[in-house]
Amino acid sequence: MGDLRFDGKVVLVTGAGAGLGREYAIEFGKRGAHVVVNDIGSTQNGVGSPTKVADLVVEEIRRNGGSAVANYDSVEFGDKLVKTALDNFGKIDVVINNAGILRDQTFSRMKEQEWDLILKVHLKGSFSVTKAAWDHMKKQGYGRIIMTSSPAGIYGNFGQSNYSAAKLGLVGFANTLALEGVKYGIHVNTIAPTAWTKLSEKVMPPGSEKELLPAHIMPLVVYLCHDSCTENGGLFELAGGLISKLRWQRTKGAVLREIGREMTPEDVKENWSAVTDFSEADSLNSIDELSIKIGEAIARIRAGDNDLGSRHPIRPKAIKKHKIAPFSTTCNRNGVILYALGTGASTKRKDNLKFLFEGHKDFCALPTYAVIDLKLTGIDGLNINFAKLVHGEHYLEVFKPIAVEGKLTSQFKVVDVLDKGSGCVLIVNAETFDESGDKVCLNQFVTYIIGAGGFRGQRTSDKQKTVVSPPTRAPDAVIEQKTNVDQAALYRLSGDHNPLHIDPGFAAMGGFKEPILHGLCSFGFSTRHVMEQYGNNDPKMIKAVKVRFASPVIPGQTLRTEMWKEGSRVFFRSVVAESGKACLTGAYVDLNTDAAPASSVPKQEPSDSLASDALFEGAAEKLTPEIVKKVNAIFQWNITAGGKVAREWEMDLLSGRGKIVRGKAANADCTITIAEEDVIELFKGTTNPKKLFLKGNIEATGNVFLAQKLEVLFKSQSKL
Ligand SMILES: CCCCCCC[C@@H](O)CC(=O)SCCNC(=O)CCNC(=O)[C@H](O)C(C)(C)COP(=O)(O)OP(=O)(O)OC[C@H]1O[C@@H](n2cnc3c(N)ncnc32)[C@H](O)[C@@H]1OP(=O)(O)O
């Protein structure tokens, strides 16, 4: 019958009195095999005396013209079964381990005997029969062995813990025999059938007896046992006509070890999604292939290339490589004033008018105006949750006073990414240049992304400007100032439009009860306080500022700046007066010792060639139209302003310093013409007879530094 013949082959089928085993035995008999039909069971033959079921199957095989003998031993005694084959047919070619029983019970009710019995019949029984046949097969250089596993072993099945254990045990057993037997021509395969039999009827769905027949299992078993089948070590799931081969699948996994650090359960937890992600799964065929994978992992660990934190939203390597495009901002008078208002300068505060009124003779930008427009732009696309990002620390170093007008261009660099456990710290440096290419300032932003730590990055960086501790004595000076309830709404107009400072919904996403004040706003307040206290309110006195934003400030709260002066360094700390909580800590201002504050600018000694106090004592009366004419004559000067016209400028005759107040002519070489009336008018308006304020049109033509020119001017002026 059929092409797949078994003529001359000796096949032993255990548990062949009924169900699957019977189906196999009859089929092998039809295909020319000598069959040993093993079964310990009996049945009623109709007249009351029990008949061995194996005999009935043997009879049927013989009726079909086949050759078969019965064996009634338990599979525990495998050698007896094999002896039946040898005694009757002289050899053993095929063993089908099929015999089985059930003792289903939930695990809590399962008795040890029930566990032992199931393992004895299925696992030990398969061992015993296979063991008895093995050496004969080896000797003859041929053998086919089938293990009968079960979906219950592969997937588990409620109430069958004993059976599942035995059935999966058979898979492992077969896998090893397949390796050991292959060189002797022995193939070992495993099936996990689902079929309706006397054994399984209690656990099968009703009506399945017609669909899930033993006849649907038999064909695979017969094929696997045929000479022509090369399959070895396979596991097949089959039922009702569907046959599938199974294999183990493994996730790509994650390498969670790094040299010099203990691997922890937390590492596993943090990387669980990587460990269990099947999207890049593969399947190995042998322990050798697994060894290769393990070797690859160890090589990666040695090379410092692990997956720790690789699924973490923060990717330090990518962040460090990230390029932030340079950007430019245009400073103007309105911007300078808006920033001053945003950081608490007030017309009601002493000597603040110069930051707020463009017509003021000393109109200038606050030193911290140098942080203008440096905002989150450019660090998007880095998988950072911006709602959780706060300004952690800031360092500003001023190299050149910020002009009230002109273009500034900033260049950024991500200098480090730190893992603080509870958060990720991102350090970004920004160097700002003016139009003449001079470096105006350096800003170092230390941003803290709350909750984004744990990516196993470095904790500290030598590139970070460090915070300092203030002296332990009581503060030398304290300045207190209340912020406005709309302080953040005002400050954001200077460039940082982060919704954290104005949008309650966004603030809630970051875990804040209400919008918080910009760190750089408090920074502006406190630096101004230090400048007021120790820098004669002169922006040029501020060389560098460092602060840590230790806790958020709510708009409307009062900032109390406590200061300690030691040499040219002013240590300070800011406290929210209402709560007593420190908001700026580890902070200092380094005063500029080169630029003496306005009040202590050394007076220029009168000399023959310089303007003298005597000359200008009571100058208002002395300033005649003749003098003005001479001034005008001297003011015929070439000063650069790139072709622009500067309309307003001022000078201090005593110090010999002067500057253009409005327009683009800060470093300009101009031809100056002054209306006589303007000179007189402004001169009369001055309260300080030693200062002469002039107003007029300055036309641009050349390229010479204004301050130098004005100094020369005053040298000439002394001759008036
Ligand atoms: C490119 C340009 C980008 C510009 C972006 C600017 C955007 C702006 O719009 C954003 C803002 O202005 S937000 C407002 C200002 N900032 C704040 O209010 C933050 C206040 N600070 C805090 O809440 C906590 O300090 C907090 C939450 C930050 C940390 O508190 P904890 O988690 O309790 O930390 P802790 O356990 O005390 O310390 C852990 C480690 O972190 C270091 N650390 C603490 N506070 C830090 C801070 N503020 N900045 C930097 N590092 C800080 C600690 O030293 C510790 O590290 P280590 O153990 O290594 O010493």
Side-chain angles (χ1 to χ4, degrees):
M1 178 203 221
D3 292 337
L4 300 179
R5 296 293 301 174
F6 287 82
D7 300 311
K9 290 281 190 292
V10 178
V11 177
L12 164 60
V13 183
T14 69
L20 291 172
R22 176 178 175 278
E23 191 76 29
Y24 307 147
I26 289 172
E27 187 65 21
F28 278 112
K30 284 182 189 167
R31 289 175 183 265
H34 302 293
V35 185
V36 176
V37 180
N38 159 263
D39 205 302
I40 57 168
S42 305
T43 184
Q44 297 301 122
N45 67 359
V47 291
S49 63
T51 302
K52 299 281 188 189
V53 288
D55 291 342
L56 299 176
V57 176
V58 168
E59 276 168 31
E60 190 172 343
I61 292 171
R62 287 181 183 161
R63 265 202 310 275
N64 290 340
S67 160
V69 293
N71 172 279
Y72 316 115
D73 292 306
S74 164
V75 288
E76 295 164 77
F77 310 108
D79 49 350
K80 292 186 180 168
L81 278 71
V82 172
K83 187 168 184 300
T84 304
L86 299 175
D87 288 350
N88 288 279
F89 306 117
K91 60 173 181 166
I92 176 84
D93 296 307
V94 176
V95 169
I96 298 175
N97 291 295
N98 170 73
I101 54 168
L102 290 177
R103 288 294 182 275
D104 291 356
Q105 202 61 270
T106 56
F107 187 57
S108 60
R109 288 195 185 163
M110 186 172 290
K111 297 187 181 70
E112 198 171 338
Q113 300 94 298
E114 290 165 333
W115 174 271
D116 287 344
L117 180 64
I118 292 296
L119 265 78
K120 187 170 78 176
V121 173
H122 291 268
L123 199 51
K124 181 79 183 292
S126 298
F127 155 78
S128 178
V129 177
T130 305
K131 176 76 177 152
W134 189 256
D135 286 347
H136 298 288
M137 290 179 169
K138 255 178 84 174
K139 230 179 266 164
Q140 71 196 14
Y142 179 86
R144 295 286 183 268
I145 298 171
I146 298 291
M147 301 292 174
T148 303
S149 180
S150 163
I154 294 164
Y155 304 111
N157 198 25
F158 194 90
Q160 292 196 304
S161 56
N162 48 1
Y163 182 72
S164 302
K167 288 303 192 189
L168 200 60
L170 285 166
V171 176
F173 179 36
N175 286 344
T176 294
L177 292 190
L179 295 175
E180 292 184 10
V182 68
K183 65 179 172 194
Y184 305 110
I186 305 172
H187 293 176
V188 185
N189 288 291
T190 307
I191 60 164
T194 301
W196 197 95
T197 63
K198 270 259 174 265
L199 182 83
S200 63
E201 65 185 341
K202 285 191 195 130
V203 292
M204 298 299 283
S208 58
E209 65 268 31
K210 291 207 180 78
E211 296 297 341
L212 304 175
L213 301 179
H216 304 151
I217 308 301
M218 174 274 291
L220 172 71
V221 170
V222 170
Y223 172 60
L224 288 173
C225 294
H226 194 259
D227 288 350
S228 64
C229 180
T230 55
E231 187 71 34
N232 183 29
L235 170 62
F236 299 89
E237 200 180 76
L238 66 166
L242 171 70
I243 305 178
S244 312
K245 184 171 180 180
L246 273 74
R247 65 181 184 186
W248 291 102
Q249 206 187 16
R250 59 199 282 288
T251 64
K252 187 175 166 226
V255 175
L256 301 183
R257 182 161 71 85
E258 73 186 331
I259 288 167
R261 191 185 139 268
E262 271 182 35
M263 193 175 164
T264 66
E266 288 73 22
D267 295 334
V268 179
K269 183 182 175 194
E270 279 155 21
N271 292 279
W272 192 241
S273 56
V275 169
T276 57
D277 175 10
F278 274 92
S279 60
E280 293 175 72
D282 60 9
S283 189
L284 305 184
N285 291 309
S286 67
I287 282 195
D288 291 346
E289 288 183 10
L290 175 62
S291 303
I292 292 169
K293 293 281 177 190
I294 296 169
E296 286 170 358
I298 290 169
R300 283 184 56 197
I301 291 163
R302 288 186 182 145
D305 172 25
N306 56 56
D307 294 315
L308 284 164
S310 67
R311 306 290 158 133
H312 194 285
I314 297 296
R315 308 286 177 95
K317 279 188 205 159
I319 293 178
K320 273 196 216 171
K321 277 192 211 149
H322 184 74
K323 297 263 177 288
I324 302 175
F327 71 81
S328 298
T329 190
T330 305
C331 302
N332 57 48
R333 285 157 191 259
N334 280 356
V336 164
I337 294 167
L338 193 58
Y339 173 81
L341 288 171
T343 51
S346 162
T347 55
K348 303 294 171 222
R349 289 186 79 81
K350 187 171 167 271
D351 204 12
N352 271 197
L353 203 57
K354 64 180 175 188
F355 306 120
L356 297 169
F357 174 42
E358 71 283 7
H360 190 281
K361 64 183 175 57
D362 290 327
F363 180 63
C364 61
L366 283 162
T368 50
Y369 180 61
V371 304
I372 186 178
D373 249 2
L374 301 179
K375 49 191 177 248
L376 290 171
T377 316
I379 56 169
D380 44 355
L382 290 180
N383 230 356
I384 288 170
N385 180 354
F386 287 102
K388 297 273 184 192
L389 181 147
V390 290
H391 208 151
E393 291 179 6
H394 196 83
Y395 174 76
L396 165 69
E397 192 168 348
V398 185
F399 304 111
K400 187 176 175 182
I402 304 290
V404 292
E405 299 215 343
K407 191 171 153 194
L408 297 177
T409 301
S410 300
Q411 288 168 0
F412 297 84
K413 186 165 171 35
V414 179
V415 292
D416 244 326
V417 184
L418 308 181
D419 183 353
K420 293 292 185 184
S422 64
C424 163
V425 161
L426 189 65
I427 307 173
V428 177
N429 279 2
E431 289 184 319
T432 302
F433 300 85
D434 63 15
E435 280 167 297
S436 57
D438 291 338
K439 182 147 73 164
V440 173
C441 60
L442 163 75
N443 278 281
Q444 184 175 83
F445 293 82
V446 176
T447 52
Y448 198 104
I449 305 145
I450 298 168
F455 52 91
R456 303 293 166 200
Q458 65 198 73
R459 195 170 181 109
T460 55
S461 167
D462 55 7
K463 297 180 189 114
Q464 182 174 2
K465 297 285 178 183
T466 46
V467 286
V468 294
S469 298
T472 47
R473 65 178 183 272
D476 301 339
V478 174
I479 292 182
E480 204 168 275
Q481 188 183 0
K482 192 169 166 47
T483 64
N484 193 287
V485 285
D486 289 318
Q487 201 70 53
L490 185 60
Y491 181 81
R492 66 193 293 276
L493 300 178
S494 286
D496 184 351
H497 292 167
N498 185 348
L500 173 65
H501 308 295
I502 193 152
D503 179 353
F506 189 86
M509 277 160 57
F512 298 98
K513 282 195 197 134
E514 55 190 307
I516 62 173
L517 195 57
H518 300 71
L520 287 180
C521 178
S522 320
F523 173 86
F525 266 78
S526 298
T527 308
R528 191 170 39 70
H529 292 166
V530 174
M531 183 177 75
E532 200 174 304
Q533 183 69 34
Y534 291 112
N536 284 302
N537 217 25
D538 180 358
K540 288 192 292 298
M541 288 298 291
I542 306 301
K543 187 173 166 192
V545 190
K546 170 75 189 180
V547 302
R548 167 174 284 195
F549 304 110
S551 66
V553 178
I554 305 301
Q557 287 181 323
T558 306
L559 290 172
R560 190 172 70 229
T561 309
E562 302 171 344
M563 295 163 262
W564 295 259
K565 184 162 186 305
E566 297 209 338
S568 59
R569 174 162 286 189
V570 179
F571 296 86
F572 71 96
R573 184 172 89 111
S574 294
V575 175
V576 170
E578 287 80 2
S579 64
K581 206 167 172 189
C583 54
L584 302 190
T585 59
Y588 63 86
V589 167
D590 279 337
L591 297 170
N592 204 345
T593 46
D594 300 337
S599 63
S600 60
V601 170
K603 291 182 179 176
Q604 286 177 319
E605 291 303 317
S607 75
D608 285 342
S609 59
L610 286 175
S612 72
D613 286 6
L615 176 65
F616 290 98
E617 204 78 57
E621 291 86 60
K622 289 182 194 162
L623 193 73
T624 62
E626 275 69 52
I627 295 177
V628 170
K629 261 187 203 148
K630 283 184 184 172
V631 168
N632 262 339
I634 296 161
F635 281 11
Q636 297 304 311
W637 211 262
N638 291 329
I639 301 175
T640 298
K644 302 267 167 61
V645 174
R647 296 201 174 278
E648 223 177 281
W649 55 281
E650 66 184 38
M651 66 183 65
D652 180 341
L653 294 184
L654 195 62
S655 69
R657 293 179 185 190
K659 66 182 173 189
I660 293 171
V661 180
R662 195 191 301 172
K664 302 260 176 189
N667 297 328
D669 187 7
C670 302
T671 301
I672 304 170
T673 48
I674 310 157
E676 210 169 276
E677 316 75 60
D678 283 347
V679 174
I680 293 167
E681 186 189 306
L682 279 170
F683 187 77
K684 280 180 183 161
T686 186
T687 50
N688 182 350
K690 292 180 184 174
K691 287 190 178 181
L692 175 63
F693 297 103
L694 304 175
K695 194 176 186 182
N697 290 330
I698 305 170
E699 284 175 24
T701 54
N703 189 15
V704 185
F705 190 51
L706 176 66
Q708 287 172 350
K709 289 295 177 192
L710 290 177
E711 257 178 43
V712 178
L713 166 71
F714 284 108
K715 284 177 191 166
S716 317
Q717 205 174 345
S718 66
K719 292 175 188 142
L720 285 174

